[in-house]
Amino acid sequence: MSIDFENELNEAQREAVTTTEGPVLVIAGAGSGKTRTIVYRLAHLVQMGVDPSQILLLTFTRKAAQEMLQRAESILGRSLHGTSGGTFHSFAYATLRQNAMDIGFDNGFTLMDRADSENICKEVKDTLKLGKGDRSYPRKNTLLDMVTKSRNKELTIEAILEREAYHLSPYLDDFNEIADGYRQFKREHALVDYDDLLFLLDELLEKNEPLRNQLQTRYKYIMVDEYQDTNLVQARIVKYLAGTKGNVMAVGDDAQSIYAFRGANVANILEYPKIFEGCKVIRLEQNYRSVQPILDLTNEILKGATTKFDKNLYSELKSDRLPRVVYPLSDQTQARLVVDQILDFKRKYMLHDVAVLFRAGYQSFPLEVALTRVGIDYQKFGGIRFHEAAHIKDVLSYLRLVLNPHDLLAWQRAMDHIKGVGPKTVAKIYKAMHTDDEKYLAKMMKKHDPLKELLVELNKLRSTPARPASVLESVLAFYQPILIEKYPDDYPKRQAGLEQLSQIAVNYTDMELLLGDLSLDGDPEEEKRKENAVVLSTVHSAKGLEWSGVIIIDLVEDRFPSRKAMQRAEDLEEERRLMYVACTRAKEQLMLFVPSSVFNRASGMSEPTLPSPFIMELPETVYDRLNESYGGGLEQRRRPAASRPSPVFEDDPIEEPPSNPKASPKKLGVCEHKIYGKGKIIAYIEPNKYRVNFFGFGLKVIIGDYLKFL
């Protein structure tokens, strides 16, 4: 049975499938048929007469490998029995089992799961007598996280803390001791964790030349999927298995490398042609998912990347509708406008074919409340649902008690942080409060200071009725030390969710209504339904998926890109790739929301924002701009007669950046930007933009009003 390359594959895919000798790198743009290309190449190799046992397919999930092999078998009409297809970890496990003595395990070894590893970290901590009496001491899962992140990124624990968890820095010495103890414990008990599988195989292949030669001889054709997601040790393993001139094909997209937090290193794919001599680079640029106007916008996003493989996605799917960039007056009105847009999409699409994407899980909280209020079902992926977050439940328990002192469940939650006060004691305290047993209450308050503080705070809040936002303000001040003590490992992240709760409360004058909207839990069984429920998802969780209508929210600095990412050039580049991934999820319609102000709880006011640099860089030719009017609707302003120039709007309600008298046209030299710092102006772009090379961040195109000329 011959394979129909002509009708089943485009020209670039055919080239990737039929180039079987030597190193190949396939840069597969979003929606370009990456899996189809791998499947047809598998089938083509076997049809050429290659023994299936000489093929090694490495993927990131077992399911992906199985699907590819099954599809290849379907094309061929025969079995691919003998082909080694699976994850890096499964391949490493099988190889290490056969060579256990060579890695120092004369009697074999036992592979641990995550729970085993966490328990060993705790045992090591207890043996070393660390954290005794410290209620804020990092939990066992956090101890393991620090150890595994350090290994996978091949950085010191100190570097990991500095970048990702600075609030845990006081425990640096303890983390290092536990990491050493964990390593020693595993070795003494012939135990291996998932990280060890890769690093032991790496060490084995480096030192055991006969085994390396044997594997290179056996696997004459190697294919690696999602190469942009490999970490340093995985890239080394591929190199050892293939040699520098082997028949190895890596498939991936540098522009979709978004897992640095797991250890993925984009340099692996960028430097692939240098590592493998004579490498042929093939670009898959025809997109089968999105209409061309969406791709025009995503191509512009990629233009700003400092290091990349150039690619220009195109599609035969046409549309007269441009993506839309929407400027709500504030993040508080953004949720309402997004709900309006979802209802508009509902007229054309099933709700499960509509997605709202965001950078961090907490950013969807106001939208979750708004959707619940109007009765629109939703499913959330990545980040916890608003009403399920433990710290949100904690704070709501206080609000419930201000409103209803008879709420036993709220009392149990509110006293959860008090040491020595369990459910039975809570029940006794509850009974004493409602039978005026002042003697028992006085005894318990004397014994437990936090209980006294809690009761005093609640009495104070009940005695001075105020707007929900004011009550919440007092509750959050009271709760802050409890938050830090109760959730020491990740309280900074949880803090962002509490800020969103404050923002939601500002819109309410009635506490009962606020609690009603916040406490409306969906039926847990409903979560299993995929039909007719809007998808809310972080961008990371959305990778590999697609929807007809996609809305991306909070496209302002400090939210997307995140505040952390603005501090390091490589992190900002990853945020750009996240933006690209988000936009390429859309098949027919794409809407980008850029709130013009964000509520600041500290000041009690909305403060102006800077649009995301990824929005600022977009030429006005690739989108239509809509502004929220003071009346609450959306207005698309009239354009001048010229073909899609920059949007000059009459009576634009959006606050424009302040005029900059130094921003004279075509002024070159040195300038300064609030986020990127100092840079050298390379070129002036009509009517008021500058291409600037920022030290540490590379080339950016910035509106002149946001630059200070030095």
Side-chain angles (χ1 to χ4, degrees):
M1 179 181 180
S2 62
I3 299 173
D4 183 4
F5 290 131
E6 200 61 41
N7 293 316
E8 296 295 331
L9 302 170
N10 64 38
E11 188 178 340
Q13 290 171 335
R14 282 198 298 274
E15 185 181 10
V17 166
T18 56
T19 304
T20 57
E21 304 304 306
V24 181
L25 174 62
V26 178
I27 300 297
S32 63
K34 167 182 70 73
T35 301
R36 170 180 286 265
T37 302
I38 295 173
V39 165
Y40 270 85
R41 192 173 195 264
L42 278 168
H44 177 60
L45 285 170
V46 175
Q47 192 179 57
M48 283 170 51
V50 173
D51 186 333
S53 65
Q54 293 183 317
I55 301 172
L56 172 63
L57 171 65
L58 293 173
T59 62
F60 275 81
T61 65
R62 185 185 303 170
K63 183 181 175 184
Q66 289 172 342
E67 180 191 334
M68 290 175 187
L69 291 171
Q70 287 168 2
R71 285 175 58 180
E73 288 175 341
S74 176
I75 292 167
L76 278 170
R78 55 163 285 193
S79 169
L80 283 180
H81 181 71
T83 302
S84 296
T87 65
F88 276 91
H89 291 90
S90 63
F91 174 77
Y93 181 66
T95 306
L96 293 173
R97 294 288 295 178
Q98 294 169 0
N99 300 275
M101 292 182 68
D102 291 343
I103 54 173
F105 294 110
D106 294 349
N107 298 310
F109 59 84
T110 301
L111 179 63
M112 304 184 295
D113 62 16
R114 169 86 192 192
D116 295 329
S117 296
E118 287 183 2
N119 289 333
I120 291 172
C121 281
K122 184 180 183 304
E123 188 169 329
V124 169
K125 181 204 81 168
D126 293 344
T127 302
L128 293 170
K129 294 183 169 56
L130 298 173
K132 253 188 165 182
D134 181 356
R135 293 189 69 194
S136 296
Y137 202 82
R139 312 286 189 255
K140 60 185 180 180
N141 63 320
T142 301
L143 297 175
L144 182 63
D145 280 347
M146 292 302 116
V147 174
T148 59
K149 282 187 177 186
S150 172
R151 287 198 81 190
N152 279 301
K153 296 189 178 189
E154 301 187 31
L155 294 169
T156 64
I157 290 178
E158 183 177 14
I160 299 295
L161 290 175
E162 189 179 318
R163 293 181 181 194
E164 300 179 27
Y166 194 74
H167 62 289
L168 296 177
S169 295
Y171 298 105
L172 171 61
D173 291 342
D174 287 19
F175 282 132
N176 283 323
E177 279 192 69
I178 290 166
D180 290 339
Y182 175 68
R183 196 161 40 243
Q184 190 176 335
F185 186 100
K186 288 186 296 178
R187 179 54 68 174
E188 287 173 0
H189 296 85
L191 297 170
V192 167
D193 65 20
Y194 276 84
D195 297 335
D196 293 328
L197 291 176
L198 299 181
F199 284 97
L200 287 170
L201 178 60
D202 176 41
E203 186 181 337
L204 181 64
L205 293 174
E206 180 190 18
K207 295 178 179 176
N208 191 329
E209 189 177 353
L211 175 64
R212 194 167 68 238
N213 292 336
Q214 177 191 331
L215 291 172
Q216 287 180 3
T217 302
R218 177 181 174 184
Y219 297 115
K220 291 188 175 175
Y221 295 91
I222 299 171
M223 282 183 274
V224 189
D225 188 23
E226 303 283 14
Y227 200 77
Q228 78 279 352
D229 293 337
T230 55
N231 60 17
L232 293 170
V233 67
Q234 287 166 327
R236 289 196 297 272
I237 289 169
V238 171
K239 186 178 176 183
Y240 285 135
L241 292 173
T244 56
K245 298 180 181 177
N247 301 325
V248 55
M249 181 176 90
V251 183
D253 184 3
D254 56 299
Q256 294 188 69
S257 179
I258 59 172
Y259 294 118
F261 67 94
R262 291 184 195 162
N265 195 316
V266 69
N268 288 345
I269 193 167
L270 292 172
E271 295 174 8
Y272 186 93
K274 297 176 187 173
I275 294 167
F276 293 95
E277 298 171 24
C279 173
K280 183 172 189 177
V281 179
I282 300 169
R283 291 170 172 80
L284 304 185
E285 296 175 299
Q286 183 171 352
N287 176 289
Y288 294 92
R289 174 188 300 149
S290 307
V291 294
Q292 188 60 47
I294 290 173
L295 299 181
D296 290 339
L297 183 142
T298 57
N299 286 334
E300 291 294 336
I301 292 169
L302 290 187
K303 280 183 184 177
T306 52
T307 52
K308 62 179 187 255
F309 286 102
D310 287 327
K311 68 177 78 68
N312 189 60
L313 298 182
Y314 66 93
S315 173
E316 293 178 359
L317 304 170
K318 306 303 177 188
S319 173
D320 294 330
R321 181 177 178 132
L322 292 180
R324 294 182 166 191
V325 178
V326 181
Y327 284 79
L329 291 171
S330 73
D331 59 341
Q332 296 175 67
T333 59
Q334 176 179 245
R336 177 181 56 76
L337 291 173
V338 170
V339 169
D340 289 347
Q341 187 54 54
I342 289 169
L343 291 170
D344 187 50
F345 278 157
K346 189 181 177 185
R347 290 200 284 267
K348 186 175 181 182
Y349 311 120
M350 294 291 285
L351 280 176
H352 57 256
D353 201 18
V354 175
V356 182
L357 306 182
F358 32 86
R359 175 64 183 83
Y362 75 85
Q363 289 171 290
S364 70
F365 288 172
L367 179 58
E368 291 177 51
V369 175
L371 289 171
T372 302
R373 194 183 302 135
V374 297
I376 297 178
D377 287 338
Y378 68 89
Q379 289 183 303
K380 185 172 180 181
F381 301 94
I384 198 161
R385 283 181 66 138
F386 183 62
H387 56 252
E388 294 168 353
H391 53 295
I392 299 294
K393 284 184 174 180
D394 290 348
V395 170
L396 292 184
S397 70
Y398 300 123
L399 298 185
R400 284 163 60 178
L401 291 172
V402 170
L403 202 63
N404 176 17
H406 298 282
D407 188 337
L408 176 58
L409 292 177
W411 280 115
Q412 289 173 341
R413 186 100 206 173
M415 295 188 203
D416 184 54
H417 70 286
I418 303 174
K419 195 174 183 181
V421 177
K424 289 181 181 176
T425 307
V426 172
K428 289 177 184 176
I429 294 170
Y430 178 84
K431 183 180 178 183
M433 282 189 290
H434 292 87
T435 56
D436 294 324
D437 188 347
E438 294 181 6
K439 188 177 177 183
Y440 180 78
L441 279 177
K443 174 187 164 187
M444 295 306 291
M445 285 193 286
K446 188 175 181 181
K447 186 177 179 182
H448 301 286
D449 282 342
L451 174 61
K452 182 179 179 181
E453 292 167 6
L454 172 64
L455 296 179
V456 168
E457 178 68 19
L458 289 174
N459 283 332
K460 185 180 75 177
L461 291 172
R462 278 196 213 102
S463 63
T464 54
R467 287 176 65 96
S470 300
V471 176
L472 183 61
E473 185 73 28
S474 299
V475 167
L476 290 177
F478 174 79
Y479 181 68
Q480 184 67 22
I482 299 170
L483 175 75
I484 294 170
E485 183 183 343
K486 199 171 177 182
Y487 308 103
D489 301 17
D490 61 353
Y491 68 84
K493 190 196 297 184
R494 293 176 187 268
Q495 188 68 50
L498 295 176
E499 295 288 342
Q500 288 291 62
L501 181 57
S502 291
Q503 174 205 311
I504 293 166
V506 169
N507 299 311
Y508 288 81
T509 55
D510 183 279
M511 179 72 81
E512 201 163 350
L513 186 59
L514 170 65
L515 285 172
D517 283 350
L518 292 176
S519 303
L520 280 171
D521 285 9
D523 182 349
E525 291 302 310
E526 290 288 300
E527 285 307 289
K528 295 175 184 174
R529 282 195 310 127
K530 294 203 186 296
E531 288 293 313
N532 224 23
V534 170
V535 174
L536 309 184
S537 176
T538 60
V539 182
H540 283 102
S541 297
K543 187 172 180 289
L545 303 175
E546 59 183 41
W547 297 272
S548 291
V550 169
I551 297 167
I552 308 172
I553 61 172
D554 275 353
L555 283 164
V556 295
E557 287 190 357
D558 288 351
R559 293 194 175 185
F560 199 158
S562 68
R563 184 172 301 170
K564 269 187 188 175
M566 303 301 288
Q567 297 164 11
R568 298 172 66 243
E570 62 253 52
D571 291 345
L572 191 62
E573 285 302 293
E574 176 148 326
E575 296 286 308
R576 179 184 298 281
R577 297 192 291 270
L578 264 175
M579 180 70 174
Y580 166 78
V581 168
C583 293
T584 52
R585 300 309 95 199
K587 293 193 287 187
E588 295 179 14
Q589 296 195 50
L590 174 65
M591 297 192 76
L592 311 174
F593 277 73
V594 187
S596 297
S597 64
V598 168
F599 179 73
N600 184 320
R601 183 168 65 87
S603 67
M605 299 172 63
S606 286
E607 298 180 349
T609 59
L610 277 175
S612 167
F614 312 133
I615 295 293
M616 287 170 63
E617 291 172 6
L618 292 175
E620 292 85 348
T621 53
V622 298
Y623 65 85
D624 283 328
R625 172 171 167 168
L626 286 81
N627 300 323
E628 181 186 3
S629 68
Y630 289 120
L634 285 178
E635 298 179 4
Q636 183 171 346
R637 302 298 174 165
R638 280 192 297 110
R639 293 177 181 272
S643 174
R644 298 214 182 274
S646 62
V648 178
F649 302 116
E650 298 171 3
D651 304 320
D652 194 339
I654 303 302
E655 184 179 351
E656 292 297 333
S659 62
N660 185 344
K662 295 186 179 180
S664 54
K666 302 180 185 174
K667 180 182 177 70
L668 303 182
V670 179
C671 66
E672 189 171 16
H673 183 265
K674 179 183 173 184
I675 302 297
Y676 303 123
K678 289 185 179 179
K680 186 176 181 182
I681 299 170
I682 305 301
Y684 171 76
I685 304 168
E686 293 282 359
N688 182 28
K689 289 186 179 180
Y690 292 83
R691 189 177 298 280
V692 183
N693 188 8
F694 289 101
F695 313 128
F697 288 95
L699 287 174
K700 306 287 173 193
V701 175
I702 303 288
I703 296 172
D705 298 315
Y706 290 105
L707 296 174
K708 180 181 178 183
F709 295 84
L710 305 175

